[in-house]
Amino acid sequence: MVVSADFAMVVSENPIIISGLDIKVIVRDLDQKPNAITLNENATVQELYAKVHEELKYPIDKFELCGASSQILGEEDKDVTMARLLDKLRTANPESGSSSSTTKISLMVTKKTEWEGEEHSHYFNTADADEVPSFGTPATIGPSAAPSVTWQPSIMSSGGYVLGSSSSSYSPCKFVGLSNQGATCYMNSLLQALFHVPALQRAVFQMPTEHETKKRRRVSGQHPAVVTRDNGVQQAQDSVALALQRVFYRLHYNATSVGTKALTKSFGWDALDSFTQHDVQELDRVLCDNLEEKMKGTEVEGAVPGLFRGKLKNFVKCIGVDFESVREEEYYDLSLNVKGCKNLTESLKNYVEVENLDGDNKYMAEGHGLVDAEKGCTFLSFPPVLHLHLKRFEYDPMKDANVKINDRFEFDQVMDLAPYLEKIEGEQHPPLNYLLHSVLVHCGDVHGGHYYAFVRPTCGKDWFKFNDEVVSRVTMEEAVSQNYGTSEDGEAIAPPAKRGISNLHRKFSSAYMLVYVREDAASEVLRPMKEEDIPAHLRDRFTEESTENDSKKKEKRDAHLQMHVKIATHRDMRDHNSSELVDWDKVLKLTARKDDSFQQLRKTLEETTHIPAERQRLWYCIGRKNCTIRPEVLIRDEADFKKYVGNQEPEFPGASNCSCFLEELPEGADADFDLPPDEEKPALLFFKLFDCLKGTLTFVGHTIVSTSSTLGDVIKKAREELLPELADEELLVYEECTPNDLRKQTQMCKPIKDFEWQVGDIVVLERWGPGGREAAPRDMRSATGHYDFLINNVEVRFRDIAAPDKDVFTVVLHSKSAYYDILEKVAGKLKADGEDRGGEFFQLWKPMSHQPEAPQSFPWMPDEDSKLDSIHFASANNQDKCVLFFERTDFDIRDLEKKILLGLKVPLGNPQPSKGIYWAVVDKEHWIEEAIDVACARVPELPRSRAMLIKVVKCRGTVPQPGNNAPRQGGMEMMNYQVLVAHKEVPAVAEEEELSAENSNYEDMANNAVVVYHFDMERGQRMVQVERYWGTPLVFLPIDGESVGEFKARVRRQAYNDVQAGEEDKGGEEGAGEEELPNWRVVVLGPHGILDEEYAMEDDAALIDHVALIHGEDAKGRCYAIEHPDKNRHANANRTQEKSIRIAR
């Protein structure tokens, strides 16, 4: 049981008063009753503990006092006086505005109490979400564990947030919460409900993750002084299984709330996802589906469906005809209506209610035609754990928006589902009781809110509220009846004495998901977890993680007493093989106390690098003005060490205080080995060899010379000591000042001091081979070219546009690589990998600037400026975000120098725009005809004789005229074209005719074509100006002798047929009925979408005359349009506003 008490020293209430030699402290308990404790300023912390024990009756061995300095007052502080303690507290919390005589601090205390018998709710306060405390090893885990628990203290600042926790050993807690990352309350609620189903826990813990625990890089074998040794290999991301195992494990053993960052990272979520609230029922389905998929092929395969899957039967039974259609389907949750239902029983009856199909809604029975029928469903089985989703959010057509339904909806703690099972003649189902286990509540409205969960872990009498980090015991009324929703008059139901602000809160709170457990399966499903249910490899791994986190916390506490030293050796330089000496982020990093001696550091270096102390020579490195880090000073003795190393301060928290180069001397050499006389200035020079034949840059070693030595002498010594095998080859000499400043040196007789060479400089030797530069191929890269590539290289991940979420290969490219160079790399790489299918061409796609992992809507068009550096990648320093996409095509992109590229859409019989795009390379002069030919070749059902190319922009279309007026290349303009069918007659009205010879000319078709737009008015909006067009325009060819009235009917009929076809393609409900057709208005719109009364369409007028009037010069900007509702409008709006939940597979 957890109990908290605030030891609050609040300035405004003057709780701490320094009066002479006395210090007065006001201690507040759970009931906010102040208790005064007075101590002399010379009293110690040990006496403070005794006083709290004596006056507040807290067991002396069951609580700890903590200060805002983020350290517990423990055994080592027992002799600290009150005066010194107050001084420390002021220093630790300067923001509190404390004066010399007052301070402000909040303290937390722990006491051990029996779980039963408490009359009030108890709250778990939380520490850092992702830090794991140490813990003990319980024999039993879960609600039926030991009757008492130890709640360990957290240190809370005066502002109420948690700063840290004790590092002592913890016993398992009763229950703890989950940290909210921003908007993850919906996930926390679901995880708590799933966690308290032990049968699911067992299955999750048995998912195979041993390979991940074995691959994990361990630090337990490293020297205690080693902070990290980064070899550039990134730690593999946890799988969903391992991350969920960690969360469940910590919910058992943590004393404070559990973090979920590793879990959401395993989902593939980023920071933005953590601040986006989703639907808890959607996450329930996605997460359980993901777990079920990952359990396949393991010993726990089928565990998820075994717990949550039921089966129902959908049927349509004909009346008067011996025909019945039956389809069985499985379900993992049930979505039940709230609107119009008073309780769960009514909603379930509504779910299985039989619907009569008669009148205009008859059923089409195979072989019998349209007949009357009954349609409904019945349950074949219910799962052991039943998830019920209450449909609190629905679309309101009057408001044209989603709304939340807070209507009162009652549900029982015990429910019999036997009446809803399929009835078998002559048999009576025995009672099938289900016990209410969890209630997931949504507080708020459709625009946002908060989720929390009420759980009854054993389906007994005890209910607990899990509200992110806070866990509390609650009454049955708080968990159940107060979450029914509002009454008919809009008021939440509550006793009169309790109505007020809390009742107002309940007006917006209502149950959203219910979890029931079948009574006869409860003993097995809810059987408490035991330690042996968790595999040993998981216990070992999570224990190790806990130890590491404790070490990190201790390191943070002691950071002001320590210094960090980065040590570079020849091994690091040989592994680097790039510009600069080393990558300082990948070298050995040691931690040492600031008062350590030079000899202690040398001993540590001997233990970590295995270089004997007598063979060590340490050079202190500095950051030069040109932003490079190079050795500068030789550390000879203790005085040098204190001056250059021990006296440094980090530039920012966690930074290394200094960097050093550790030179390994030859065996038997003294400390002055190879150093010039004292009167001469030494120069420590590092040498690299660039082999032009191999294109490789290699570190070869270092040498020490006098600055008075000539360049020739230096190179001669380097050849003899470092490159004896190249004694007879010509070598060119460069100085690497910075990665982008490589200076060639040719004056061999000049002393190196004239070149300003000094300790730490880098010399690059360029080798061209035995024949010299003259014999080398012309395309061979020089040292300067190689350094240019090192500076400007970009690691690009390539993906197939057909599968834009998956990397196919990675290539390192120069940032100045041209379009066709990149294209050759793609083709060459695919051929080398055996993925070239032969006879294929490729084109490239850039990523979106705001979504760098997704391709743009149109391909990257090559031109003179088409270079890699023209692409705006997400970050120049974040190469894993550099992504390009390629597409296999049947045309050569090089043809675009004389032709143009069009992205064509062909929406057949569907007013919604087609998503599929057909790319066509067409001649600039005959681009319209060729585009139609390509579309007809790709879509055989497209009639060539009536196919027309239409330019569609924002759902409004125009007919381009033949000729040399081709669109410009690049951008969205080349994707604005659709190939539509020009309607001569509607098949449902008359038999379709082929165009006559005089109309077969495309130019005549383009001149006579009538384009009709779709538009939809807001409900209640006056028909004055159209603000919203939708869908793909219709194209019609006038019929001889046709009147305007007949044309209107033809437009309505074609629009109706297209809508019906579109609904059938999507497998959705049928569209509008034919009785609505007279309400679909066909009008003339003027410029800016304003209804044009001047050109009103009189039904008895001749269509051909009216078309000539609309297409005339005086009527410029006018068009035909039909008003009818867009059924996809609301769905499309929801899709753009809310991103669906995804979990990485």
Side-chain angles (χ1 to χ4, degrees), residues 820-821 823-824 841 862 891-898:
Y820 293 117
D821 294 333
L823 212 57
E824 289 180 4
F841 299 101
F891 57 84
D892 192 342
I893 199 70
R894 292 175 177 83
D895 292 343
L896 296 183
E897 296 175 2
K898 299 179 180 179

Side-chain angles (χ1 to χ4, degrees), residues 186 269 273 276 278-279 282-283 286 1134-1143:
Y186 68 99
W269 296 2
D273 292 311
T276 303
H278 290 284
D279 184 271
E282 181 185 3
L283 178 64
V286 173
N1134 283 346
R1135 279 195 291 270
T1136 58
Q1137 293 174 4
E1138 183 175 326
K1139 187 169 71 170
S1140 61
I1141 298 177
R1142 75 196 191 288
I1143 294 181

